[in-house]
Amino acid sequence: MNQEQFIARHEPQWQRLEQWLDADADRRKRKAQWNGEQQLDFPYLYRQVCHHLALARSRLYSQQLINRLDSLVLRAHQRFYRPTVNLREKLIEFAAAGFPTQVRREWRLVALAAVLFFGPLLSMLSVQQLYPEMVYTLMDQQQVQTFEAMYSPDHAERIGREGDSQSDFLMFGFYIRNNTGIGFQTFAGGLLFGLGSVFFLLFNGLYIGAVAGHLTQMGHGGPFWSFVAGHSALELTAIVLSGAAGLKLGGALIKPGRLSRLRSLRSAARGAITIVYGAALMFFAAAFVEAFWSSIAWVPAPVKYTVGLGLWLVVLGYFARMGRGAT
Amino acid sequence: MSDALLDTLRNVETPEGIELKLAVAGPVVRALAWGIDSLIRIGIYAGLAVIMLSAIPGGLGIGLYFIAVFVVGWFYFVVFEVYRDGATPGKSAMNLRVLHDDATPVGWSASMVRNLLRFVDFLPILYGFGLISMLLSRDFKRLGDVVAGTVVVYKDNARGGSAPPAAAPVAPNYPLSLEEQQALVSFAERSTQLTEERNQELAELTGPLTGGQDPGQTLAQVFGIANWIAGRR
């Protein structure tokens, strides 16, 4: 069969497929098409056109015809294999089972990240009580004074801010940008064989420990601890989880097992990104609590400590129990 | 023969047994697309600043602005890639799109991974690691693409076909191989895009096929043979 006969025989099918794809790309026309009278057996037609392309290539018809069929097959392939997203269901499944089970699956890395984060934090905190000048190894005089002012007991309305007049919403936006950004960077640093994540975890742990230790040994511990009590459960856990996700990437590079480094990295990334989604949501929640609850000065400290403890129990319980029994 | 030639086509085999050929995009055009996207994002930040800081007073406006900057900064690329056919405005302008390795449209996970890892690609300055990765990779993948399993390709524009010039079909005076037939027919279809002199020059390369013809007739002879091969008898 020569080219002209081939085209004459199959052109109607190609045009039909092209029209169908064009209408499908337009949302209004797509609905009309799906409910319309002339339904198209798309999978069958797609396979037919693939067959025509194979024929055209093997018979070496003109390049123009082959290119046209190439484009048509590529378009149809993308329509055919387009992933269907049901966002609501996926979100519910993620929150109820996907996220906690993934964290439990990676408990070793989470434990390692927790050690890398809380270890320096607690050591810096305790060392500071004996050697108060340790804080100056991490930050200079001006930064220390800023912190002292932020958590000073003399604040009338709001603690933890650099000026009484800054609104809650402003700080909400600031915390979202600041903290989630840190979390994402901690995760991304994992690609450098895990060293980036390790660095961010250690540094943030030391920094927070230094601030906490300095304020405590100064005697301003009251405002500071009641400030962090509320959102610490969410935020510190989110930092540890971001670090764990980064370590998962690094671990895939360092110890790929029986896969090539590339494959190992790809499969690790799929699991790690799940943890990052969850950590991002926790950062948002932490920012909400930090902006609208933690800084209120007139709430008595015991109430804040109770709320903080409650949140810790909720977070730990969520990761320990949620999603068990569902396969 | 074609395996020995150097090109940037990536072959993807589909479950239907067809090999799709994707033209992968190199660093320069991707850098231009990123430049356009950056300008657009700066414009968005400026626009948001004007709207939010002047229309909504005080802390609420600044807070909303921070949130908006965060969302735009981290999710601009992801939203466009997932919902706009794999192309941000900058990539669309340069005729590029993002696909999975197997030529399927890019999904949420892959898009999030490749865009979150921009942080690493950007080191030490201005996508240094990303550029090194692109130059070392066979498919011009930066680190984010490598981990996410995506690839940036040129969008396949429907090339307008042109009808070959009409000429009386002439049978060739000796049998031609399939490659030669394809070459002649393709030449005839391309001839409208070439100049007259170039057409003449190419037609004279056919040698024994059109030997013995006076130069004015060579081109018509070649077109005639092409029409005959294609079946326009």
Side-chain angles (χ1 to χ4, degrees):
Chain A
M1 179 186 298
N2 60 39
Q3 183 171 314
E4 285 300 304
Q5 288 170 341
F6 182 76
I7 294 178
R9 179 180 285 200
H10 300 298
E11 177 79 34
Q13 285 177 299
W14 304 338
Q15 285 189 350
R16 186 75 190 87
L17 187 58
E18 278 169 355
Q19 282 167 10
W20 192 89
L21 288 172
D22 287 335
D24 188 74
D26 184 320
R27 202 191 309 167
R28 270 164 299 162
K29 288 188 200 162
R30 187 195 312 152
K31 283 208 171 139
Q33 189 166 257
W34 277 105
N35 302 329
E37 318 226 317
Q38 288 184 315
Q39 304 274 1
L40 187 74
D41 190 348
F42 176 57
Y44 173 73
L45 189 54
Y46 169 53
R47 282 196 301 275
Q48 287 286 84
V49 176
C50 285
H51 179 57
H52 299 160
L53 174 59
L55 284 176
R57 282 201 185 141
S58 74
R59 293 175 188 167
L60 284 179
Y61 288 148
S62 83
Q63 201 58 42
Q64 186 172 287
L65 176 62
I66 291 177
N67 289 343
R68 180 191 170 188
L69 290 178
D70 244 342
S71 310
L72 185 53
V73 165
L74 182 61
R75 266 182 84 190
H77 171 84
Q78 303 207 314
R79 176 61 188 89
F80 197 67
Y81 291 103
R82 197 167 65 193
T84 49
V85 221
N86 188 341
L87 212 53
R88 211 178 68 111
E89 265 180 32
K90 276 195 173 173
L91 276 177
I92 295 176
E93 193 271 339
F94 172 79
F99 181 43
T101 45
Q102 183 68 20
V103 169
R104 281 198 291 273
R105 204 173 292 143
E106 301 295 336
W107 68 267
R108 289 178 201 86
L109 291 174
V110 173
L112 177 61
V115 164
L116 286 172
F117 181 67
F118 286 113
L121 199 159
L122 294 171
S123 358
M124 196 61 169
L125 211 162
S126 24
V127 162
Q128 284 247 180
Q129 310 307 312
L130 304 172
Y131 300 102
E133 57 289 355
M134 286 296 280
V135 68
Y136 296 108
T137 59
L138 282 175
M139 50 188 103
D140 59 27
Q141 176 80 347
Q142 195 183 4
Q143 285 171 300
V144 174
Q145 281 175 345
T146 314
F147 276 113
E148 290 177 4
M150 271 165 66
Y151 298 104
S152 144
D154 319 317
H155 268 206
E157 279 184 29
R158 289 275 183 273
I159 41 176
R161 299 199 184 153
E162 284 182 30
D164 265 329
S165 59
Q166 307 220 341
S167 95
D168 288 349
F169 218 93
L170 195 166
M171 297 314 290
F172 179 45
F174 174 72
Y175 290 137
I176 283 187
R177 203 181 75 166
N178 197 37
N179 300 342
T180 318
I182 291 178
F184 284 165
Q185 284 171 1
T186 310
F187 162 67
L191 194 58
L192 302 171
F193 293 92
L195 293 175
S197 298
V198 169
F199 168 74
F200 277 119
L201 285 172
L202 288 176
F203 180 73
N204 284 318
L206 283 173
Y207 198 85
I208 296 176
V211 172
H214 177 74
L215 289 171
T216 310
Q217 74 74 22
M218 247 184 75
H220 286 178
F224 176 76
W225 287 110
S226 63
F227 175 76
V228 297
H231 64 269
S232 64
L234 293 165
E235 181 159 340
L236 299 182
T237 317
I239 294 179
V240 166
L241 289 177
S242 310
L247 289 174
K248 189 165 161 57
L249 283 188
L253 280 177
I254 296 175
K255 191 180 148 217
R258 309 183 70 194
L259 301 171
S260 76
R261 287 214 154 75
L262 195 63
R263 291 259 161 93
S264 159
L265 190 57
R266 283 212 199 133
S267 84
R270 260 172 270 142
I273 199 71
T274 312
I275 300 182
V276 172
Y277 290 154
L281 290 173
M282 289 178 73
F283 275 122
F284 290 160
F288 188 77
V289 172
E290 193 173 355
F292 294 109
W293 162 260
S294 290
S295 59
I296 302 176
W298 51 261
V299 174
V303 175
K304 284 199 172 174
Y305 291 138
T306 317
V307 168
L309 191 61
L311 276 178
W312 268 110
L313 290 174
V314 165
V315 166
L316 291 174
Y318 173 75
F319 286 115
R321 304 297 312 166
M322 198 72 173
R324 278 193 197 273
T327 347
Chain B
M1 201 50 149
S2 52
D3 316 37
L5 295 178
L6 191 69
D7 64 27
T8 55
L9 290 182
R10 181 193 157 83
N11 282 337
V12 177
E13 181 157 351
T14 69
E16 287 74 30
I18 290 288
E19 267 199 350
L20 295 174
K21 295 191 189 328
L22 306 172
V24 287
V28 176
V29 63
R30 289 178 69 171
L32 289 173
W34 181 80
I36 297 177
D37 276 324
S38 298
L39 289 174
I40 294 177
R41 276 189 303 160
I42 291 176
I44 295 179
Y45 293 150
L48 283 175
V50 164
I51 294 173
M52 285 187 175
L53 298 180
S54 58
I56 309 174
L60 184 63
I62 305 181
L64 281 175
Y65 180 66
F66 276 141
I67 296 176
V69 164
F70 169 75
V71 167
V72 171
W74 284 100
F75 294 105
Y76 169 87
F77 289 97
V78 178
V79 168
F80 276 112
E81 281 170 13
V82 174
Y83 289 110
R84 277 278 169 274
D85 230 14
T88 64
K91 288 205 167 71
S92 276
M94 306 306 299
N95 217 25
L96 303 175
R97 59 200 299 207
V98 180
L99 298 174
H100 281 142
D101 276 342
D102 55 6
T104 56
V106 63
W108 267 100
S109 286
S111 188
M112 286 281 300
V113 169
R114 77 182 291 272
N115 286 303
L116 284 183
L117 288 178
R118 270 180 203 275
F119 178 68
V120 181
D121 278 313
F122 204 80
L123 305 174
I125 47 161
L126 279 184
Y127 284 98
F129 283 1
L131 180 64
I132 294 173
S133 169
M134 275 194 256
L135 294 175
L136 290 177
S137 151
R138 197 159 166 269
D139 295 316
F140 290 124
K141 292 190 184 194
R142 64 176 175 83
L143 292 170
D145 288 323
V146 169
V147 177
T150 56
V151 69
V152 178
V153 301
Y154 282 100
K155 202 179 291 193
D156 200 31
N157 286 325
R159 272 148 278 189
S162 47
V170 173
N173 45 17
Y174 65 87
L176 295 166
S177 74
L178 279 182
E179 282 92 1
E180 290 166 341
Q181 293 181 18
Q182 185 187 41
L184 286 172
V185 176
S186 296
F187 165 64
E189 282 167 349
R190 266 188 331 183
S191 61
T192 51
Q193 298 166 21
L194 301 170
T195 62
E196 189 62 37
E197 290 80 11
R198 183 67 177 147
N199 281 333
Q200 192 71 28
E201 186 185 343
L202 289 171
E204 275 159 18
L205 292 174
T206 51
L209 198 63
T210 55
Q213 294 277 340
D214 52 353
Q217 289 303 306
T218 317
L219 196 54
Q221 171 95 345
V222 169
F223 287 154
I225 295 175
N227 280 337
W228 186 90
I229 294 171
R232 297 172 202 116
R233 316 230 168 119

